[in-house]
Every structure is written in C-alpha cells, then in structure tokens.
Amino acid sequence: MTLRKDEFARRRRQLMRMIGKGGIAILPASTEKQRNNDVHYNYRPDSDFHYLTGFDEPESVAVLVPGRAQAEYILFVRDRDPLRETWDGRRAGTDGATSDYGADDAFPIGDIDDILPGLMEQCSRVYHTMGIHPEFDQHVIGWVNTLRGQAKQGMHTPQEFVALDHLLHDMRLYKSRTELKVMRRAAQISVGAHIRAMKATRPGMHEYEVMAELLHEFHRHDADIAYHPIVGGGANACTLHYHQNNAELCDGDLLLIDAGCEYRYYASDITRTFPVNGRFSPEQQAVYEVVLEAQEAAIASIRPGNHWNDPHDAAVRAITQGLVRIGLLKGRVPALIKSEAYRKFYMHRTGHWIGMDVHDVGDYKVGEEWRVLEPGMCMTVEPGIYIPAGTRGVPKRWWNIGVRIEDDVAVTADGNEILTAGLPRTPAEIEQLMCS
Ligand code: GLY
Ligand code: MN
Ligand code: MN
C-alpha cells in the first residue's frame, strides 16, 4: 500500500491554487545527519518535502511556480554518478525526476545557484518555511541578494516572503482517503506489535527484550519506528519520556509501552500499560480504570463541530472524578478542576495531531479559539496517571503506578474512527490475552 503518483500531483495542484500566479514555493529536502564517525542515521526526508514530491533523495529542492508556461514543477536533484551509486545505491537523476516523479523539468542540484534566481525574478512572492533548515535559508537570502545586485540591469526582486508552512500544514492536517488507508495500516502493524509484546512479557525479562518484540513486528511488515519506543517497567512507567529501556521487569510491577511504527511515511502512536505478571493488583486496576474512563470520555467527544480541547476537558473531568473516587484527591470535583489539582498526577495534555509526523503539523487554535474538529483530522488520545514513589500525601501501596492509554483517532463525518482498534484495552481483555 503506497501512495500513488497522482496523490502527490493533486497535492501540488492544491498548493499551487492557494499560492496563485506571481508566487514561487521553494522547499528543500532535509540533509543527511551524521551519527558518529563515518556513520549516518538512516535518511528520512522532511515530511513537507515528501508530502509534495514523493521523492526520497537528500540534496534535492522542489520549486513550484504556478502558471509558469514552461514548467510549473521543477526538481533540483543529485546528478547520476556511477562511482557514488556503486557505494550508496541508485539515484533518480534529472531523467528520473521527470519520468518517475512527475517534475515538469529537472536540473542538477549543482546548477541551482544559476537557475533559481531567474525563476524567482518572475515572481513577487516567495513561499518558504524559514527557520527549519537554517543553511538553506541562507541560500534563499543569497538568491534574493543576487537579484537585488542586478536591479540596475532591470532585474526584479520578489517583494514579499510568505510562510509556506501556514498553507502546507493546513493541507497536511486533513487526511485524504488514501492517507487514512495508510494510517490504518500503520496502526494495524503497531497493534500487532503491542499484542506480541503483551504475550511475550514475563517477570525477569528486560525492557529491551520486550522492545525487540516490538521492533521485530514493525520490521517484518516493512515498517520502522515512528519514534524511539518507551518500554518502562515499575518506577520507569512514571518517567514520561523514559528511553533507556534496560531495566529488569519485576513480578508485581506494571509495564508501560509507548511505541508506534511509521509505515510509508505515516506514523502511529500507541500506549498500553499492563501487569508484568499478567494480573492487575487492586490498586493498579483502580488507577487503570480511571485512565480508561478518561480515555473513553475523551474519545466520545471527538466529532465534527466539537473543539480540539473538548477531549482534554473530558479527560480532565474523568480523571479528577476518578482520583476523588479512589481517594487520591480530596475535595469537590469542580474546585479541583479549577485549581488544576489533577496536575499532580496528570501533567501532560490529552493528545496531539498525528500524520506524517507523530506530533503532526496543523494549528491547534484559530485566533483565540480552539480549532473546530473536521473530518480527516487525526489525533491521539492519551490520558495518564503517574504516581512516582514518594508522592506526598499518597499511601505507599499506590507508588510506582504509572498508567497511560493511547490510541489514534480519526474524525469522521458522523463521529470518529479508532484507527488502533483491535488492541486489548480493558483490564479483562489484557488479562485474558496475557494468560491465554
Ligand atoms: N510517543 C510520543 C507521544 O505519545 O506523544
Ligand atoms: Mn505515544
Ligand atoms: Mn502521543
């Protein structure tokens, strides 16, 4: 399941309609990142660049000039190079950029300084995302200065710089049917990985052994991690961004796994918390049920017309009520919500947009108002309760319980769809899977 060429072409057309005649959009591919001596991280193009091009080679630049007669879509790419290709693999080259990736015209990246000022000269507005690739920003400024330097020869200089991300990120926020299909697949692979991890977990194993189960399942489906997994047992479940994943798993502890794969450039993001030995203790189950109620209340509030913050408000209400019920907060629920007393146990937000980036782009507010939910928007719903050892005012039997439950949800025309459905979520479902 891969996005077809016409999906990328449709996106470029849509962006060009918004930019209009007189505008030029310039997007660089991200650079390769060195890990340590002679070793690079696996190359993963910038999501904005890939969203519009489908092209996955570094040292590339995409240019869109709506209404330009000769060519509206121009790609600058690495030249073919038999010697380099022997080491690093095939390059598309300029021929491939036009024949396989839909560019109207393509040039070697080494020629960009000669060609781009000429393209900009015909335009009054430059659409570019400043600040993400600082070195590239310097090039853009350099090209503008080249034109300014030639003003006396009658060259025009674009007068306006416009933030491209504003338009592009709004497009990326609304997932098409094809994107939703890929996101469902990413979600499904991650669901399988979590099931595998739950089934494999035993007291005495190490967190990295459980991580290996997740990674195995991702890779055997041609997926990779969307972010470094969190596999935290016991006290580690209370560290929100725990990443060491090297401790032994103890009988009687909970294990929190926050892991999701990226499939065909789309992320999934799932958290499950379950007992290492397969059976919840009464305290673990009590906390778990509060988080589950919060997640269910949050998901129930996801539908077109509601606001971005409604799921968070619903989760906060349910968590506060639940903490009062189990005795960890004392007082009246409205007052505890107002004073944010719940933040002692629930200190993060209930979710984020998800798409090509796990924390996806898109504004959460429009002006002063929370964004109104519309079909095609995808978000995570991930309430949690964390009670590290030593939490003041909390009896010891509750210590080191950290619970988060996270699923990925798409807004649909009549409500929502849980993309990560099919993964045990209730204590009974989890115990049944682990003890079967
Ligand atoms: N895994 C990152 C997050 O849950 O936001
Ligand atoms: Mn997560
Ligand atoms: Mn998340």
Side-chain angles (χ1 to χ4, degrees):
M1 185 181 311
T2 312
L3 294 187
R4 288 173 18 175
K5 271 197 236 173
D6 52 4
E7 176 100 1
F8 297 102
R10 188 186 57 71
R11 294 169 179 174
R12 290 192 295 269
R13 277 198 307 276
Q14 190 182 342
L15 182 63
M16 284 197 281
R17 263 198 310 276
M18 293 196 280
I19 289 175
K21 236 178 135 63
I24 179 170
I26 308 173
L27 282 97
S30 43
T31 51
E32 286 186 284
K33 305 278 185 298
Q34 193 170 346
R35 182 175 183 272
N36 55 351
N37 196 24
D38 285 347
V39 177
H40 284 87
Y41 286 104
N42 250 353
Y43 182 67
R44 199 284 196 184
D46 182 77
S47 299
D48 281 344
F49 182 83
H50 195 268
Y51 180 79
L52 288 176
T53 63
F55 194 66
D56 58 6
E57 291 185 27
E59 298 177 65
S60 322
V61 174
V63 179
L64 295 170
V65 196
R68 182 169 176 269
Q70 303 93 311
E72 289 187 303
Y73 172 37
I74 301 138
L75 268 180
F76 292 88
V77 300
R78 299 181 304 185
D79 243 337
R80 301 295 306 272
D81 178 341
L83 180 64
R84 285 310 327 162
E85 289 181 50
T86 304
W87 288 88
D88 303 330
R90 204 182 167 282
R91 297 175 173 189
T94 51
D95 287 347
T98 50
S99 61
D100 300 340
Y101 293 93
D104 300 321
D105 210 348
F107 300 99
I109 187 73
D111 294 349
I112 195 166
D113 287 337
D114 297 328
I115 296 171
L116 202 56
L119 294 173
M120 289 169 96
E121 203 255 337
Q122 305 157 23
C123 301
S124 54
R125 300 181 309 283
V126 177
Y127 291 77
H128 170 60
T129 303
M130 286 279 178
I132 293 188
H133 304 291
E135 266 183 41
F136 192 78
D137 294 349
Q138 292 306 313
H139 286 289
V140 175
I141 292 165
W143 295 319
V144 173
N145 282 337
T146 304
L147 290 173
R148 284 195 184 131
Q150 296 168 4
K152 289 203 186 75
Q153 288 100 292
M155 285 290 205
H156 295 111
T157 314
Q159 295 303 312
E160 238 183 288
F161 277 84
V162 189
L164 176 63
D165 33 338
H166 193 68
L167 300 178
L168 194 51
H169 293 178
D170 210 60
M171 280 174 64
R172 280 179 51 192
L173 179 57
Y174 297 85
K175 276 69 180 175
S176 70
R177 282 160 53 120
T178 328
E179 287 181 291
L180 285 169
K181 273 191 201 159
V182 181
M183 289 191 64
R184 256 179 230 120
R185 179 70 188 134
Q188 199 179 42
I189 295 169
S190 294
V191 164
H194 277 262
I195 288 176
R196 185 180 171 129
M198 278 183 200
K199 283 184 166 168
T201 298
R202 299 275 179 282
M205 281 174 78
H206 284 79
E207 292 162 350
Y208 49 75
E209 293 175 82
V210 178
M211 179 165 72
E213 300 292 330
L214 298 161
L215 299 182
H216 184 116
E217 200 64 15
F218 291 169
H219 284 282
R220 88 188 185 90
H221 292 293
D222 198 16
D224 204 339
I225 52 171
Y227 55 91
H228 186 74
I230 297 169
V231 184
N236 298 334
C238 299
T239 301
L240 296 179
H241 288 165
Y242 177 71
H243 64 273
Q244 290 86 348
N245 300 347
N246 58 4
E248 191 176 324
L249 297 171
C250 301
D251 202 350
D253 279 352
L254 287 175
L255 174 60
L256 183 154
I257 299 181
D258 184 343
C261 74
E262 177 179 294
Y263 179 76
R264 303 290 183 262
Y265 294 98
Y266 285 82
S268 51
D269 183 3
I270 302 181
T271 306
R272 284 294 183 273
T273 312
F274 55 89
V276 168
N277 64 15
R279 294 275 174 218
F280 285 90
S281 74
E283 287 78 15
Q284 290 168 349
Q285 178 146 347
V287 172
Y288 192 95
E289 278 168 357
V290 175
V291 178
L292 186 59
E293 284 161 14
Q295 202 210 23
E296 281 172 352
I299 292 174
S301 74
I302 299 177
R303 60 177 165 276
N306 275 6
H307 289 82
W308 161 257
N309 212 43
D310 289 338
H312 182 64
D313 287 342
V316 161
R317 206 173 310 117
I319 279 184
T320 307
Q321 281 166 351
L323 287 169
V324 169
R325 187 181 71 225
I326 65 178
L328 296 186
L329 282 180
K330 290 186 179 41
R332 288 181 53 250
V333 170
L336 293 168
I337 292 175
K338 196 153 181 246
S339 67
E340 300 189 340
Y342 58 87
R343 287 179 64 100
K344 178 172 168 189
F345 303 100
Y346 179 38
M347 60 298 281
H348 58 78
R349 293 195 49 88
T350 303
H352 46 84
W353 303 128
I354 182 165
M356 293 186 79
D357 294 317
V358 62
H359 289 183
D360 208 31
V361 294
D363 291 332
Y364 291 98
K365 276 191 169 177
V366 177
E368 288 303 299
E369 296 294 314
W370 292 110
R371 184 140 203 161
V372 175
L373 299 179
E374 295 177 63
M377 295 177 174
C378 296
M379 66 186 76
T380 65
V381 183
E382 48 178 306
I385 291 178
Y386 311 91
I387 316 171
T391 303
R392 267 201 247 144
V394 177
K396 212 170 169 181
R397 65 180 202 278
W398 299 97
W399 288 3
N400 290 331
I401 293 179
V403 174
R404 178 163 66 254
I405 311 173
E406 175 173 31
D407 284 278
D408 304 343
V409 179
V411 184
T412 59
D414 54 4
N416 67 64
E417 173 189 347
I418 302 178
L419 301 172
T420 44
L423 179 58
R425 208 151 44 116
T426 65
E429 287 167 348
I430 290 172
E431 290 186 348
Q432 197 193 0
L433 179 83
M434 293 186 71
C435 299
S436 63

